[in-house]
Amino acid sequence: MNPLQERLRKARFYGILDLAYTGDRDPAELTRQMLLGGVEIVQLRGKKASPEQLLEIGCAVLPVCRQLGGIFIVNDHLKIAAELDADGVHVGQDDDAVALARAIVGSGKIVGKSTHSVGQAVNSAAEAPDYIGVGPLYATLTKPDYVPVGLSLIEQVKARVQIPQFCIGGVNARTLPAVLDSGAERIVIVSAILQAPDVQAYCRDIRNTLDARFASTPMTGDVPGAKAR
């Protein structure tokens, strides 16, 4: 396991810089505020952005992540992740296989994959990504076409899959306690961060909640390269 993968294993707070929510604000400054607030992983996602736009924004965001110690992930676009020398890439169920993603972005980089059921989680873990996303837990405007999977999926996946799992979909300051009570150890927040009046303060509140909850709790689901049971 390389240092980058080790940092991923220890991370609990993943934020997505979704360009659908950034408006006319500076993505690099938003990234800075997220990281200063306690986000450890930043994913650049722009479903409607052109590759050229994503590359330009990535070039501005990546140095901020490097400066502040954040892990920088690109959503979907393998070649852009490779060109940027990003820390990794995230793919969906209908996107490229983990092996192809790893071949393009580099063997030492992080590859994550979205999952929406126990079966998908088990099958995806067999591809040996570095982590999986589990969700959407709640209905969310970020992914309106996805049926929410519910909180029970968290423990169901934990019982079958040993690689790191980041819970996503409708996670925010209000729902976080229930998500954590349901067994989540790592979380992803998207719109709630980017719609907050004060991004850094909002992230800091989430960070404080996570730190208080896990102050003396060892991380589980962090076996490198582990496959499903």
Side-chain angles (χ1 to χ4, degrees), residues 137-151:
L137 302 179
Y138 298 94
T140 169
L141 292 177
T142 304
K143 293 287 184 73
D145 297 331
Y146 285 76
V147 177
V149 298
L151 297 178

Side-chain angles (χ1 to χ4, degrees), residues 44 49-59 77 80 83-84:
L44 173 61
S50 68
E52 293 76 18
Q53 289 173 315
L54 288 171
L55 185 61
E56 179 181 359
I57 293 171
C59 285
H77 294 267
I80 291 177
E83 185 171 350
L84 287 170

Side-chain angles (χ1 to χ4, degrees), residues 94-179:
D94 299 324
D95 297 326
D96 297 297
V98 170
L100 176 60
R102 205 177 294 285
I104 291 177
V105 301
S107 60
K109 301 294 188 175
I110 290 168
V111 177
K113 189 158 188 172
S114 297
T115 69
H116 317 297
S117 68
V118 174
Q120 288 183 359
V122 170
N123 291 336
S124 296
E127 295 185 64
D130 295 289
Y131 72 91
I132 58 171
V134 177
L137 302 179
Y138 298 94
T140 169
L141 292 177
T142 304
K143 293 287 184 73
D145 297 331
Y146 285 76
V147 177
V149 298
L151 297 178
S152 62
L153 185 64
I154 297 172
E155 286 291 358
Q156 292 170 16
V157 172
K158 284 177 68 176
R160 299 286 303 279
V161 176
Q162 294 177 294
I163 62 176
Q165 301 143 40
F166 286 86
C167 297
I168 185 171
V171 183
N172 54 45
R174 178 181 59 82
T175 62
L176 182 58
V179 171

